[in-house]
């Protein structure tokens, strides 16, 4: 097996939610700036494939396909791994659809000799599934200074506590805090 790692990249509210209860996340965008853009570009440069669930794929595809610039280029040109049991055709490509056993398919992606990380984007439900199965090698979390009171979290419904080690952190002018964390094993 290669040394390829699965990296879950997500923005969280101060109280640990990735989306509001209705799935919206517009509250996070005011916290992004030039300094946080560099943080995001670095993760995109290290990515070999973008992994996401169907909903994230359907939301992100039209947005990035119509966008320009270095982030759009990284999102559009690198392969996508879409995890869905219902999606039949992937038009924002290059893309491969996975619809079977999540753990086996992530193991397949990790075993490939392709360069770069498996960079997981998108919603907390997909992140929660990966986290519960112990498939995430690294978390790149940006916490923004807003409490939303309720929502969905990639850490919901854990069978046991997930202990993490902070590898790196950076605070942005907006007050957001970005951290790279790895599970303590």
């Amino acid at each position: 097996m290669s040394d390829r790692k699965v990296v879950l990249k997500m923005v969280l509210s101060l109280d640990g939610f990735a989306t509001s209860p209705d799935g919206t996340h517009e509250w996070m965008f005011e916290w992004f700036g030039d300094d946080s853009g560099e943080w995001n570009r670095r993760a995109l440069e290290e990515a070999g494939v973008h992994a996401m669930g169907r909903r994230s794929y359907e939301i992100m595809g039209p947005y990035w396909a119509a966008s320009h610039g270095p982030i759009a280029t990284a999102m559009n040109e690198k392969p996508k791994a879409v995890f869905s049991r219902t999606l039949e055709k992937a038009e924002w490509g290059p893309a491969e659809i996975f619809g079977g056993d999540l753990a086996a398919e992530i193991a397949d992606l990790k075993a490939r000799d392709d360069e770069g990380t498996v960079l997981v984007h998108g919603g907390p439900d997909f992140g929660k599934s990966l986290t519960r199965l112990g498939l995430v090698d690294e978390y790149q979390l940006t916490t923004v200074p807003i409490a939303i009171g309720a929502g969905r979290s990639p850490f919901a419904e854990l069978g046991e506590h997930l202990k993490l080690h902070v590898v790196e952190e950076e605070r942005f002018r907006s007050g957001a805090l970005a951290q790279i964390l790895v599970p303590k094993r």
Side-chain angles (χ1 to χ4, degrees):
M1 185 182 278
S2 76
D3 290 338
R4 193 174 213 196
K5 63 184 173 181
V6 174
V7 176
L8 176 63
K9 183 167 186 52
M10 198 165 283
V11 177
L12 301 175
S13 65
L14 187 61
D15 46 355
F17 299 110
T19 67
S20 298
D22 64 358
T24 59
H25 59 276
E26 287 75 19
W27 48 264
M28 71 175 61
F29 295 113
E30 72 180 89
W31 307 101
F32 297 150
D34 291 340
D35 55 348
S36 62
E38 180 56 38
W39 172 271
N40 291 319
R41 279 189 294 280
R42 184 175 56 179
L44 292 173
E45 289 169 5
E46 293 172 358
V49 62
H50 299 289
M52 61 197 79
R54 179 195 52 81
R55 283 180 294 216
S56 294
Y57 177 81
E58 290 176 342
I59 291 167
M60 294 171 72
Y63 176 82
W64 288 116
S67 299
H68 302 283
I71 292 178
T73 299
M75 291 301 297
N76 289 323
E77 291 181 357
K78 291 191 180 184
K80 271 68 82 186
V82 186
F83 292 82
S84 171
R85 287 186 167 78
T86 59
L87 188 68
E88 295 179 11
K89 187 176 180 185
E91 297 191 14
W92 177 44
E96 183 176 355
I97 300 171
F98 294 85
D101 178 77
L102 182 58
E105 291 175 335
I106 290 292
D108 174 52
L109 278 176
K110 287 181 74 166
R112 295 180 183 183
D113 287 334
D114 302 336
E115 292 194 17
T117 63
V118 176
L119 184 61
V120 178
H121 300 272
D125 293 339
F126 184 51
K128 178 173 62 175
S129 295
L130 293 169
T131 297
R132 282 194 350 239
L133 292 170
L135 300 175
V136 179
D137 299 303
E138 178 179 294
Y139 294 88
Q140 292 188 12
L141 305 176
T142 300
T143 305
V144 297
I146 185 173
I148 62 172
R152 294 193 221 152
S153 168
F155 302 108
E157 302 169 21
L158 292 175
E160 59 186 46
H161 293 163
L162 175 63
K163 296 179 181 180
L164 301 168
H165 172 72
V166 178
V167 175
E168 181 182 334
E169 64 181 26
E170 184 174 344
R171 182 162 306 278
F172 304 122
R173 288 185 294 277
S174 68
L177 175 65
Q179 295 180 306
I180 295 176
L181 306 105
V182 297
K184 290 184 177 181
R185 301 190 196 245

